[in-house]
Amino acid sequence: MKGKTIHLHRRRKVNSLCRCTPRQGIVALHPADVRRLYDEVLSQILHSNNPGAIAGAAIQAGETLVQCSHPLLALKLMQVALKHLLNVDEELQRDYALNHYMPNRHDFRQWYLPWPSRVSEADARELAAKVDALRDDINKHLGWTERSHQRYRIHRLYERLFEEIYE
């Protein structure tokens, strides 16, 4: 045995919490970290009153969960976020109508903001499109031909809200 050198192969370093690649980003997360990410983002979403922040956080976390092979959890998160976004936007528009929309005032023009600039319909439609795409992927994986059309319902929801408030 003397005179022989033993070369040990270097073990590849493996992180037990996550696995990342330069091209795909996060590919796998430990289940506890997935749950913690879901809980933290859900709490952040439900405590936010900014529709744009709600949509952005839901899309980012949802895409991370999908990449980590948790599409149902991502779908659940984004659906809850979409419902909360619509509720927050409705509250903001009703508050604006009660407190700022005063056509009998002499300075009415400085208080008035047009409807499209006040609502977050674009954020809601973007989030709904992500929900539709994810739901369609899940249905395709399960062998179902059903297609989701939630993003098309968003415009009708905002039209109905406008009619409720102002007509």
Side-chain angles (χ1 to χ4, degrees), residues 38-57:
Y38 176 82
D39 291 339
E40 287 175 3
V41 173
L42 185 63
S43 175
Q44 175 189 355
I45 286 170
L46 294 178
H47 288 97
S48 177
N49 288 329
N50 182 345
I54 293 169

Side-chain angles (χ1 to χ4, degrees), residues 95-161:
D95 178 60
Y96 179 87
L98 289 175
N99 297 323
H100 300 289
Y101 179 73
M102 302 174 193
N104 298 332
R105 292 176 56 125
H106 63 86
D107 59 348
F108 169 65
R109 293 189 59 72
Q110 83 177 31
W111 285 88
Y112 180 72
L113 291 172
W115 177 259
S117 67
R118 287 189 322 229
V119 296
S120 297
E121 184 176 352
D123 295 324
R125 289 181 76 153
E126 181 182 3
L127 182 56
K130 296 285 185 182
V131 168
D132 286 345
L134 184 56
R135 184 175 284 159
D136 290 344
D137 286 345
I138 292 170
N139 287 345
K140 183 179 175 184
H141 181 73
L142 294 173
W144 298 345
T145 58
E146 181 181 335
R147 307 270 305 171
S148 182
H149 302 289
Q150 198 160 6
R151 67 179 167 262
Y152 300 119
R153 295 184 191 114
I154 298 295
H155 184 67
R156 285 194 298 264
L157 287 172
Y158 277 99
E159 283 181 343
R160 203 173 312 131
L161 178 63

Side-chain angles (χ1 to χ4, degrees), residues 11 19 30 35-36 66 72 75 89 124 164:
R11 246 179 87 191
R19 191 173 71 223
H30 190 271
R35 195 64 193 177
R36 188 170 46 246
V66 168
L72 291 177
L75 181 64
D89 211 14
E164 262 182 51

